[in-house]
Amino acid sequence: QVQLVESGGRLVQAGGSLRLSCAASGRTFSSYRMGWFRQAPGKEREFAAAISANGVSTSYADSVKGRFTISRDNAKNTVYLQMNSLKPEDTAVYYCAAVDRGRSFYYTNPRQYDYWGQGTQVTVSS
């Protein structure tokens, strides 16, 4: 089992940057596929980015591709989401998620993840 704690969310102006962090507990972090999802008020939770256990393979939603970068440091049990060129439509609660079963390098469906953090609020002002 793993526990996830996100941090780094705050109010930022459009065009700005933020880096979100997700710290994981447990000794087997390097075996978990990790993902970042977001949920805006009144909307369903949506996929943003995912990364394989070894960090080599990544996937991005079209809405964030070219602006967001997911990475991980298995020595620090942490996954990051670097967000650049932020837009007001990026405003949401951002969640990290983890899964250690299955054969895919990463997953983009939130239902495929077993563990979730509490979320961190990102607000982008215009």
Side-chain angles (χ1 to χ4, degrees), residues 63-83:
S63 58
V64 307
K65 196 171 296 183
R67 299 188 299 121
F68 290 12
T69 302
I70 188 171
S71 62
R72 66 190 297 161
D73 185 338
N74 285 345
K76 296 182 178 180
N77 282 14
T78 303
V79 62
Y80 304 99
L81 186 66
Q82 177 67 44
M83 305 186 296

Side-chain angles (χ1 to χ4, degrees), residues 1-111:
Q1 191 170 355
V2 63
Q3 292 183 330
L4 306 172
V5 179
E6 302 97 333
S7 61
R10 63 177 177 86
L11 174 65
V12 64
Q13 287 188 336
S17 297
L18 280 178
R19 188 176 81 157
L20 305 183
S21 298
C22 174
S25 64
R27 295 175 291 178
T28 59
F29 175 74
S30 60
S31 68
Y32 284 85
R33 273 62 60 84
M34 302 296 296
W36 283 99
F37 294 80
R38 63 186 186 181
Q39 188 167 18
K43 295 187 177 181
E44 292 188 353
R45 191 169 299 189
E46 66 174 11
F47 169 72
I51 191 167
S52 60
N54 62 6
V56 172
S57 299
T58 58
S59 178
Y60 297 93
D62 288 343
S63 58
V64 307
K65 196 171 296 183
R67 299 188 299 121
F68 290 12
T69 302
I70 188 171
S71 62
R72 66 190 297 161
D73 185 338
N74 285 345
K76 296 182 178 180
N77 282 14
T78 303
V79 62
Y80 304 99
L81 186 66
Q82 177 67 44
M83 305 186 296
N84 299 328
S85 302
L86 283 162
K87 305 175 182 179
E89 50 263 44
D90 294 318
T91 295
V93 177
Y94 283 71
Y95 300 89
C96 71
V99 60
D100 67 346
R101 55 184 174 84
R103 297 185 176 186
S104 294
F105 289 121
Y106 49 73
Y107 296 99
T108 62
N109 187 332
R111 297 178 182 177

